[in-house]
Amino acid sequence: MGKALFIEPPMDEAGVAGWVTSDELAEARRFVREGRRREYLTWRAVVRRELGADVRIAYDAAGAPVVDRDGVYVGVSHCRGRVAVCLSDVPCAVDIEPEARDFSRAAPRYMSLAERALSDDPLLPAAVWCAKETLYKYAGRPGLDMLYDLHVEAVDFEAGVVVGRIADGEPLRLSLKRADGFIVVYIL
């Protein structure tokens, strides 16, 4: 299978035609926001476009997407304007946010003083948020606290690298990418 990251704008129903099921279309219609409907359908369409139209998508006990292909892992994230999907032969995770999102009010709830001191780059709060969301998804354990259980130890915007840690575990190397006004952090 290898490893791949896809970053795409949300598609409308015509764009996902042939890649999503009638049950998924019905489920999407339950969402109040049109954008959320498109995000939901788009990530499913991307998975099937890459793995085959017959792939079945479900969720594990932690709420993470899984597919019925041995040795294939899926990571998904979406925000207004973009959907990110990673597919890999090893566990993977991804998070995406608009670079323009204001994290100032939320930052004290997820960034430690040490994390705030990592850089004076205005994108640091977004990078830390995305890294912690990615670590949370990668851990697959509900209930982890973004401030106390998930840690970012280094962010190198030029190299596109974030080093993070889940609780007292070993350091993990995450990739950081900027694309069309969005910031993406992922583990493949």
Side-chain angles (χ1 to χ4, degrees):
M1 149 89 251
K3 299 169 175 50
L5 174 68
F6 305 91
I7 302 168
E8 303 193 13
M11 299 177 226
D12 60 18
E13 283 192 26
V16 301
W19 299 115
V20 298
T21 68
S22 58
D23 287 346
E24 290 166 340
L25 285 169
E27 180 67 24
R29 289 185 186 116
R30 293 184 188 151
F31 292 111
V32 173
R33 225 175 34 85
E34 173 67 21
R36 180 65 185 96
R37 279 192 285 277
R38 289 179 179 214
E39 293 160 6
Y40 172 85
L41 294 171
T42 298
W43 77 258
R44 291 164 180 283
V46 169
V47 167
R48 290 200 181 95
R49 181 188 71 205
E50 299 303 320
L51 299 179
D54 62 334
V55 72
R56 289 197 341 234
I57 299 169
Y59 294 95
D60 67 14
V66 293
V67 295
D68 65 344
R69 299 287 192 271
D70 288 337
V72 177
Y73 298 87
V74 179
V76 174
S77 182
H78 47 82
C79 63
R80 220 170 264 231
R82 286 295 180 275
V83 173
V85 176
C86 55
L87 299 170
S88 182
D89 52 8
V90 295
C92 60
V94 61
D95 195 60
I96 187 167
E97 291 291 342
E99 289 181 355
R101 179 174 170 190
D102 181 4
F103 287 91
S104 60
R105 288 184 38 205
R109 293 190 303 274
Y110 73 90
M111 286 182 77
S112 69
L113 292 176
E115 290 164 342
R116 291 183 207 187
L118 290 173
S119 171
D120 59 1
D121 190 302
L123 288 177
L124 179 67
V128 172
W129 174 270
C130 287
K132 288 189 173 193
E133 283 284 325
T134 300
L135 290 167
Y136 186 90
K137 294 171 186 178
Y138 188 76
R141 296 189 322 243
L144 292 173
D145 184 277
M146 298 250 315
L147 184 60
Y148 299 107
D149 298 323
L150 304 172
H151 312 285
V152 172
E153 298 174 351
V155 177
D156 186 333
F157 286 96
E158 277 193 41
V161 174
V162 176
V163 176
R165 187 183 304 263
I166 300 165
D168 294 327
E170 293 297 313
L172 296 167
R173 181 186 167 104
L174 295 83
S175 297
L176 181 148
K177 177 178 181 151
R178 295 178 62 195
D180 300 322
F182 294 85
I183 188 163
V184 184
V185 177
Y186 56 98
I187 300 174
L188 282 175

